[in-house]
Amino acid sequence: SYAGFDLAQTFYVDSDAVQRSNDVFLTSVDLYFFNKPVEGKADSGIYSPGVSVFITGTNEDGTPNFEKIYHLHSARREYADIGTSYTGTTATTFTFKQPIHISTGYMYAILVKFDGNDPGFMLWYNKAGETVSTSSSQSQVSSGKVDGHLYRLTNGASLTPNYDQDLSFKMRVAKFAIGSSTFK
């Protein structure tokens, strides 16, 4: 069952992106909100709805695995801590309760849950072939196996893939120093 979740984004963990490591520890994920409900007037009836993010593996067909969602693989932001941006440049950071160990060379999924499934939350996404411009760079968006896929979840029963779209997100992994027990 997909009950309670609104969006899912699969992603591939490439060992070349993390200095050829076989394992990494995810510490946080940034999401970019275009809009959030008006406080006190949310369609969900919740005065100040928040957002939760979970990390899970994927099934053999590449779809998110909703059967193995762990509470410690989650992060939450309350309404007041969710920033919005009309340019897609304001990040809202979701920091996990503890670093999440994952292996490179596999697909995983970010699951997004809006309190009350409120439709007033809108996240930024990229569409394949579009050009993304920021003040410092310009790049073309691609979509494919490494990028994963965006899924919209409807009524807890339908998982609809959007093969040419991806959520705008940024993952952070722990960086360990030899002889140190701290992480960034």
Side-chain angles (χ1 to χ4, degrees), residues 17-139:
V18 288
Q19 299 177 349
R20 298 184 187 244
S21 177
N22 292 327
D23 301 282
V24 295
F25 289 85
L26 299 179
T27 59
S28 65
V29 61
D30 286 350
L31 296 180
Y32 300 84
F33 287 82
F34 177 76
N35 194 49
K36 66 182 182 179
V38 175
E39 191 169 35
K41 297 181 181 180
D43 289 348
S44 64
I46 300 170
Y47 188 83
S48 301
V51 177
S52 298
V53 170
F54 298 80
I55 300 294
T56 190
T58 57
N59 299 311
E60 287 184 22
D61 65 358
T63 59
N65 183 341
F66 290 87
E67 302 302 317
K68 294 184 178 181
I69 300 169
Y70 302 105
H71 178 67
L72 291 175
H73 293 186
S74 68
R76 179 166 174 81
R77 294 306 299 253
E78 298 303 329
Y79 183 87
D81 299 323
I82 298 169
T84 61
S85 168
Y86 292 119
T87 60
T89 56
T90 300
T92 299
T93 301
F94 291 81
T95 302
F96 300 111
K97 296 173 187 192
Q98 66 183 34
I100 301 169
H101 173 256
I102 61 175
S103 298
T104 58
Y106 293 96
M107 295 288 289
Y108 293 89
I110 302 167
L111 306 177
V112 182
K113 182 177 185 176
F114 306 135
D115 285 356
N117 301 102
D118 201 297
F121 285 108
M122 297 171 65
L123 287 162
W124 280 95
Y125 65 89
N126 301 314
K127 188 168 183 167
E130 289 183 343
T131 302
V132 177
S133 295
T134 65
S135 59
S136 61
S137 67
Q138 188 173 38
S139 62

